[in-house]
Amino acid sequence: MTVGIIGCGTMGAGIAQVAATFKNKVIVVDTNEDALNKANSNLQETLQKLQQKGKLSEEKRKEIIDNIQWTSDFHTLQDAELIIEAIIENIDIKQKVFAQIESIVSEKCVLATNTSSLSITSIAAACAKPHRVIGIHFFNPAAIMQLVEIIPALQTDSTIVAHAKSVIESWNKVTVIAKDTPGFIVNRIARPFYSEAIRIYEEGIASIEMIDFSLKKYGGFKMGPFELMDLIGHDVNYTVTETVWKSFYFDTKYTPSFSQKRLVEAKWFGKKSGRGFYQYTSQNEQVKQENNYDETACRIIVNRVLAMLIHEAANALYLNIATKQDIELAMTKGVNYPKGLLEWANEIGIENVRKTLDDLYEYYHEERYRYSPLLKTIKQF
Ligand code: NAI
């Protein structure tokens, strides 16, 4: 099929690579010629490296490159059957672009947005045919991360949902369906992984090194929250936190932290700028520290972060944001959690999760530590 990608930044270029790998004709449109040239040469370089490592044949590399056309001319999209928009995260600009492409593409073309945080419904509302608008949310890096969230707008036709799901699955991705609510599944449920870790650090309970160590060693997470935030970039991660918080009408459960805000203000974005929570040497390697942490103290940190994550997963289920199966898939495939949070809750015992959250609430008396009605009643997920 012919797939149009609008925006050739981090996400657009990655999605183009995926679509081209699966033999689609891909047209990448961006208003910035320099960005187009850069994205094109970066992709050539990436594919060249994959070939050198023996992960891609020369024939396949050429095929991918030949399948992609890079252009600033929106009219080249006229024969596209699916458009995936991945431009700047700004509702006014996205709405304008959607209205503009609607006048170019055929009636049958499906219009998708890769937005992380905007309402799909509000983007659909800018279109004459809102029933064909849908959220198709890839994770960074799109070529590697297996998960894609499919988010119908209020107006989306159910046939479009089924169609989008089958197209994305034919690109070897795992799809989950999410309700059009702030953060969809992953960016909503994952918030406490960062925010509770920061809170523990801000209170002086443990150092960032100790918190990262605890979650890796005793939680089984591949990366600690501070390492991960440094890798994602605080500009990106803080913006998601702030957007989710604002979108939930300033629910104090999601209040962003001053620690991370200051990092953004200082332009200490993390690994990419050489400094974030950690400092990076010229080889861009994180400065490792020796550790000799008390196991009980580490396990208390893990229980606290995990209980907050389990609340989010339980509440997403309670509010019908997604099915139980999709909530588990989203967190294991979208952010590589070692296991699904609901299964994890069963293993720990729901009464133990409740106890951790009850103790936190008792201690702080903050709304932040309230928990889902589902956690209060359920014995096993
Ligand atoms: P980016 O800043 O790397 O790239 C955006 C591209 O869009 C730029 O090349 C820019 O020239 C182009 N652009 C801006 N306005 C345009 C217009 N009116 N018409 C055509 N092209 C235009 O952005 P990134 O990070 O790739 O994000 C794109 C979208 O994907 C956003 O909606 C973001 O929320 C979402 N997203 C980002 C993720 C990430 O980790 N960066 C993960 C998942 C979703």
Side-chain angles (χ1 to χ4, degrees), residues 14 17 48 104 132 150 252 289 305 315 343 345 356 363 369:
Q17 181 188 339
Q48 208 45 276
I104 295 168
R132 47 125 158 222
I150 307 270
T252 52
Q289 299 212 344
V305 173
N315 212 36
E343 180 200 335
T356 302
Y363 185 75
Y369 298 106

Side-chain angles (χ1 to χ4, degrees), residues 33 49 51 63 99 101 125 161 169 187 256 272 299:
E33 293 279 356
K49 280 188 191 149
Q51 189 190 325
E63 183 193 307
I101 46 178
V161 182
E169 283 173 4
N187 281 337
K272 63 186 169 191
R299 288 196 184 275

Side-chain angles (χ1 to χ4, degrees), residues 6-13 15 29-33 35-36 39 74 85-90 93-94 96-97 100 113-118 136-141 187 232 236 240:
I6 309 181
C8 70
T10 313
M11 296 309 293
I15 299 166
V29 183
D30 200 296
T31 42
N32 183 334
E33 293 279 356
L36 282 165
F74 275 75
E85 166 277 314
I87 64 164
I88 184 170
E89 190 77 336
N90 174 303
I93 301 178
K94 285 202 198 279
K96 265 191 209 131
V97 166
Q100 181 191 358
T113 172
N114 186 51
T115 181
S116 300
S117 61
L118 301 171
I136 298 186
H137 183 224
F138 288 78
F139 290 78
N140 189 16
N187 281 337
I232 294 169
V236 174
V240 175

Side-chain angles (χ1 to χ4, degrees), residues 359-377:
D359 288 349
L360 285 166
Y361 188 80
E362 188 53 40
Y363 185 75
Y364 291 105
H365 278 275
E366 282 179 46
E367 264 294 285
R368 176 186 176 88
Y369 298 106
R370 74 176 193 272
Y371 58 87
S372 176
L374 189 57
L375 267 185
K376 289 184 185 149
T377 51

